[in-house]
Amino acid sequence: MPMLPLLITQGDACGIGPEIAVAAWAAEHAAPGLPPLCLVGDVAVWRRAVQWAGLDLPVAVLDAPGEAAAVPPRCLPVWQPPGLPADLAAEPPGRISAKAGAAAARCIEAAVARVLAGEGAGLVTAPIHKEALHAAGVPFPGHTEMLQALATPPGAAPPPVRMMLANEELRTVLVTIHVSLRRALDLVTAQAVLETVRITQASLRRFGIASPRIAVAGLNPHAGEGGLFGDEELREIAPAIAAARAEGIDAQGPFAPDTVFMRARHAPPAHPGEFDAVVAMTHDHGLIPVKYLGVEQGVNVTLGLPFVRTSPDHGTAFDIVGQRRADASSMRAALRMAWQLSRG
């Protein structure tokens, strides 16, 4: 039986997503053991991306993602889902476009449906632009929330999902994601922290870590300093850690947010990390340390979904679209990590 393909969505057609996806495909598709790769999106957009990436590749138009395995070598396998806006490739590059936002959402919807139907090994998503989604009337602030909704069967409660940002040196998982900081403070509850720790534990085991070591960062300076700088650690975070430990999870903390990431950073031989992941309370607390180590190797992983989803650790980079300056390293890392996770 041929391996199921990984599906790569085009992201925002006016950003660098299509060109880095094409460049990553060209660099990785023949790697030993990697499954077939199927690009999902507008055929004309993909052809333009081939030119922008400085490549000379014919495009093979598929009727279904499963046909990717039969495409001849050096042919770019593209599946164009129904329902995409017309003339998408005519949208000005580097600009916010409602048409591009609608197309990005449609590609994600179609790819998720195929993966859930057992026609794909996992999903790798190129960057989308949140303002373009909003302009298109898409009611989600980003990939994570959209994927959660698409993974929810009719009438069922949404699965708890979390965002992980990871590279070779550090992994962080977020309790709160795309909300204002003021709103995030209200969402840091013992139940939310415990749920995040549980999801992190299960996901790290998929990475092949038998006994994950999880550090939990505090919310306030110095992790509250015993309540002097805020009591969320005492009221919510510490009880969640205790509950996790009672379940047999090796969770520790809460630790001061300004030092715990240094302790977790794994850079052997001089600096082996003390932990396998850090659970952070808010978006910027968790993502700044990983991005500082280099966005070119960072991978965004959505934890808790019934399928594998990864993406590069950067945005649409409107300022360099079509200039052959876009770096596909993070997209390549996302492809490799998606394959690693899809194998369990």
Side-chain angles (χ1 to χ4, degrees), residues 137-163:
V138 178
F140 302 105
H143 269 116
T144 305
E145 297 83 357
M146 186 187 307
L147 293 167
Q148 180 186 40
L150 293 173
T152 304
V161 299
R162 294 295 188 273
M163 177 179 173

Side-chain angles (χ1 to χ4, degrees), residues 42-319:
D42 184 271
V43 172
V45 168
W46 288 120
R47 288 191 170 122
R48 183 180 66 181
V50 169
Q51 296 177 343
W52 283 354
L55 298 170
D56 182 15
L57 299 171
V59 171
V61 181
L62 312 181
D63 291 326
E67 297 176 356
V71 170
R74 300 297 296 171
C75 284
L76 192 72
V78 170
W79 174 58
Q80 178 169 315
L84 293 184
D87 301 321
L88 186 59
E91 293 296 288
R95 305 279 184 86
I96 295 171
S97 161
K99 185 179 288 189
R106 176 59 193 140
C107 289
I108 296 164
E109 293 168 356
V112 168
R114 292 294 178 131
V115 171
L116 288 174
E119 299 177 42
L123 186 65
V124 181
T125 58
I128 56 176
H129 198 288
K130 294 176 176 57
E131 288 186 58
L133 289 182
H134 181 74
V138 178
F140 302 105
H143 269 116
T144 305
E145 297 83 357
M146 186 187 307
L147 293 167
Q148 180 186 40
L150 293 173
T152 304
V161 299
R162 294 295 188 273
M163 177 179 173
M164 171 190 278
L165 204 63
N167 59 30
E168 293 182 355
E169 299 183 49
L170 185 62
R171 303 182 186 96
T172 66
V173 183
L174 307 181
V175 175
T176 66
I177 310 178
H178 297 124
V179 295
S180 71
L181 185 55
R182 190 177 301 278
R183 173 64 176 146
L185 301 181
D186 295 330
L187 296 176
V188 176
T189 65
Q191 181 58 36
V193 175
L194 177 58
E195 191 169 66
T196 306
V197 172
R198 287 170 174 160
I199 292 172
T200 303
Q201 158 92 344
S203 300
L204 289 175
R205 286 179 169 171
R206 292 193 69 176
F207 276 84
I209 302 171
S211 301
R213 303 164 300 163
I214 301 171
V216 181
L219 174 67
N220 298 297
H222 300 189
E225 198 74 75
L228 291 176
F229 306 143
D231 64 355
E232 285 85 358
E233 286 79 8
L234 298 175
R235 290 188 296 105
E236 308 292 350
I237 302 173
I241 296 170
R245 293 184 66 83
E247 296 177 7
I249 299 174
D250 183 4
Q252 303 178 46
F255 297 113
D258 61 351
T259 57
V260 66
F261 298 100
M262 292 184 287
R263 295 176 60 183
R265 183 186 179 196
H266 184 66
H271 193 284
E274 297 180 43
F275 307 104
D276 299 301
V278 178
V279 169
M281 298 301 115
T282 68
H283 183 279
D284 287 5
H285 261 178
L287 300 195
I288 289 173
V290 184
K291 293 192 175 189
Y292 181 76
L293 292 174
V295 296
E296 66 276 0
Q297 292 299 328
V299 178
N300 182 347
V301 186
T302 305
L303 309 181
L305 294 171
F307 53 86
V308 170
R309 180 263 173 166
T310 67
S311 75
D313 170 27
H314 57 71
T316 53
F318 278 171
D319 58 322

